[in-house]
Amino acid sequence: MSDISWHRYPLITHSALAKKWLQIQSNLGLASNTVEAYGRALEDFYSFCRQIAIEPKLAKREHIAAYIRDLMTRPQSRSSRAGILDSSSGLSNATIQQRLTAVRLFYDFLMEEGLREQNPVGRGRYTPGKGFGGQRGHGLVPRLQKMPWIPNDAEWKRILEASRTESLRNRLMLALSYDAALRREELCNLQTGDIDPSNRLLHLRAENTKSRQGRVVPYSVLTDNLYRAYLEHRRNLSRSRGPLFLSESRRNFGQPISIWTWSKVIRGISTRSELDQFSTHTPRHLCLTDLARANWDIHEIATFAGHRSIQTTLLYIHLSGRELALKLEQGMAAIHSWRIKQLSEVLL
C-alpha cells in the first residue's frame, strides 16, 4: 500500500469525501504513480471549482464543460507542443483524459455513497438531439492517438553527446532504459537483486510494471560494463543490498532516487541536446522501434516490452515502417517489370 503525500493536496485534505476516495485508491493497491496522478487531477478540479464558486459535490454538466474548456485553453508552462489538437495553448490531450478519468471515478464514488444520482462527467460524447448519451466508450473529449517521437541517427548522437558529462549512474540508467526498453518506474525501482550479471538478465518484478506482469529481459555487454563499474562506485554510497540507484546529493545521500530525479536528469539532457521532444520514454520507444526494424516478431516485441495488448505493440511496427517499405519495394518491382514489358513491346 502506498503512502499518500497529503501535503501536495491541500484542498483534498480539507475535503472528507475527496480524502476518503483517494485513500481508497491507495488501499486498493494501485501503483503509487497512479494514486499520485489521481491526487493531482482531483486537486486541480477542486481548485477550479473554488475559482467558479461551486461545491465539487454539486457540480453539473455545465461546470464539467467549463472545466474542460479551462484545460483546453490553460497556458502551458513547459512547451507549446503540448497543446490540445497541436495548438499553442492548453494541456495535452493525454493529460486532459487523465484529469477527466480521475474526476469521473470520484463522482462514481459519490454515486456509490448515495450522494449523487448521476455522474456529471459520464462516459458519453455530446451528440445533438441525444445530449451527453452518445455511445459508451466515447469520452467528452476525443482521444487523440499521437505517434511518439523517435529520434533519427543524428538526433540520437546529439543525445548521447549531451549525456557524456553525466555521472556514471545516469549513464548506466540511460543505457538500461534503451537496452532493455524500460519504463521510468521500472528503471528507478530496480533492486540489486534484480540483476543477473552472469547471464546479463534483468528480472522486472510485477509490482513495478505497468501491466502488473513480471518479465525477464537481456542487456548488452556495454551496459554490463557500465553496471560493473557503477557497482564499484555504489559501494562508496552504501554496502547494503536494495535499491540499485542511489542519490549522491547531500540532502538524500545514499537514499533511493525517485522517478522525479530521473525526469530532471532527462530534462537536462534534453536541454543540452536542444531536443525538447526527448523524454524518459524516448529510449524505450527507440528500442522497440529498432526491434521492429530488425524484423522481430510482433509477439516477441510484446513480450520484451511487457505489453498486455498486441495493439500497443503494433504502434512500433508502424513506426519502423518495415511493412510499408516491403510493400513499396514489392510494388515498385512489379510496376518496374510492367513498364519494362511495355517498353519492350513497343521499342523492340
Side-chain angles (χ1 to χ4, degrees):
M1 184 178 68
S2 60
D3 294 325
I4 300 176
S5 302
W6 293 110
H7 65 277
R8 297 180 179 176
Y9 320 116
L11 297 180
I12 291 179
T13 303
H14 288 88
S15 169
L17 287 171
K19 188 174 182 179
K20 180 180 178 180
W21 174 77
L22 191 60
Q23 186 63 64
I24 288 175
Q25 309 313 305
S26 177
N27 293 344
L28 288 174
L30 297 183
S32 58
N33 291 333
T34 301
V35 174
E36 185 170 336
Y38 283 175
R40 289 197 308 269
L42 195 58
E43 180 75 13
D44 184 75
F45 179 65
Y46 263 65
S47 176
F48 175 79
C49 288
R50 186 169 65 172
Q51 293 175 26
I52 63 174
I54 182 69
E55 174 66 32
K57 185 175 67 173
L58 305 177
K60 298 180 180 179
R61 293 284 190 184
E62 59 264 31
H63 303 123
I64 298 299
Y67 179 56
I68 292 174
R69 176 65 179 173
D70 177 71
L71 294 175
M72 287 182 168
T73 57
R74 187 178 300 177
Q76 183 57 260
S77 58
R78 280 199 63 193
S79 172
S80 61
R81 65 185 173 87
I84 182 71
L85 297 175
D86 294 327
S87 67
S88 60
S89 65
L91 302 184
S92 70
N93 182 263
T95 300
I96 293 175
Q97 298 289 350
Q98 185 185 73
R99 298 279 170 89
L100 291 179
T101 295
V103 175
R104 184 180 68 243
L105 292 175
F106 173 64
Y107 282 112
D108 282 345
F109 164 72
L110 295 184
M111 291 173 64
E112 292 170 359
E113 293 287 300
L115 300 175
R116 287 191 66 105
E117 293 184 358
Q118 292 182 332
N119 190 323
V121 181
R123 287 170 173 79
R125 180 185 300 166
Y126 180 81
T127 304
K130 296 183 180 180
F132 280 92
Q135 293 186 359
R136 191 173 180 83
H138 293 286
L140 297 177
V141 177
R143 186 177 295 274
L144 304 182
Q145 200 70 4
K146 300 180 71 174
M147 300 291 274
W149 175 74
I150 303 295
N152 58 34
D153 290 344
E155 291 167 335
W156 182 240
K157 186 175 181 180
R158 284 165 57 185
I159 291 168
L160 295 180
E161 287 295 331
S163 307
R164 187 189 296 273
T165 57
E166 290 291 335
S167 67
L168 179 59
R169 181 200 71 192
N170 294 345
R171 283 182 280 136
L172 170 60
M173 292 181 72
L174 180 62
L176 275 174
S177 65
Y178 168 78
D179 220 6
L182 300 183
R183 299 180 178 92
R184 180 179 61 170
E185 293 76 9
E186 296 170 345
L187 176 67
C188 295
N189 289 323
L190 280 175
Q191 301 276 318
T192 53
D194 294 337
I195 299 185
D196 177 6
S198 60
N199 296 301
R200 297 206 309 273
L201 293 174
L202 289 179
H203 296 261
L204 299 172
R205 288 167 289 129
E207 59 267 27
N208 293 327
T209 65
K210 186 176 181 180
S211 63
R212 289 296 185 262
Q213 296 177 348
R215 67 185 191 276
V216 179
V217 293
Y219 58 91
S220 68
V221 174
L222 169 66
T223 300
D224 186 56
N225 292 335
L226 285 170
Y227 167 69
R228 293 178 185 276
Y230 172 70
L231 212 56
E232 289 293 325
H233 174 71
R234 186 184 179 279
R235 292 192 178 99
N236 298 321
L237 306 176
S238 173
R239 292 186 176 271
S240 301
R241 295 176 64 82
L244 177 60
F245 298 116
L246 304 178
S247 172
E248 300 182 33
S249 68
R250 292 182 180 180
R251 181 177 179 182
N252 299 306
F253 188 83
Q255 297 299 309
I257 69 165
S258 68
I259 58 174
W260 310 116
T261 299
W262 180 234
S263 294
K264 185 176 180 181
V265 170
I266 290 298
R267 282 199 298 272
I269 296 174
S270 171
T271 300
R272 292 196 300 276
S273 63
E274 298 182 342
L275 293 169
D276 290 340
Q277 306 97 318
F278 183 59
S279 71
T280 56
H281 229 55
T282 300
R284 172 177 167 85
H285 288 318
L286 180 60
C287 174
L288 298 179
T289 304
D290 285 344
L291 295 182
R293 289 167 177 161
N295 290 321
W296 275 41
D297 179 82
I298 187 171
H299 296 283
E300 295 172 336
I301 299 175
T303 299
F304 189 88
H307 289 155
R308 282 182 293 190
S309 170
I310 293 296
Q311 293 301 315
T312 304
T313 314
L314 279 173
L315 169 66
Y316 299 98
I317 303 296
H318 297 327
L319 284 170
S320 70
R322 76 182 191 195
E323 292 182 345
L324 292 178
L326 180 60
K327 288 181 179 179
L328 179 62
E329 181 181 351
Q330 294 173 341
M332 289 303 293
I335 292 173
H336 182 71
S337 299
W338 176 63
R339 294 293 186 194
I340 292 297
K341 183 180 178 181
Q342 283 185 318
L343 287 171
S344 64
E345 290 174 350
V346 175
L347 301 180
L348 287 181

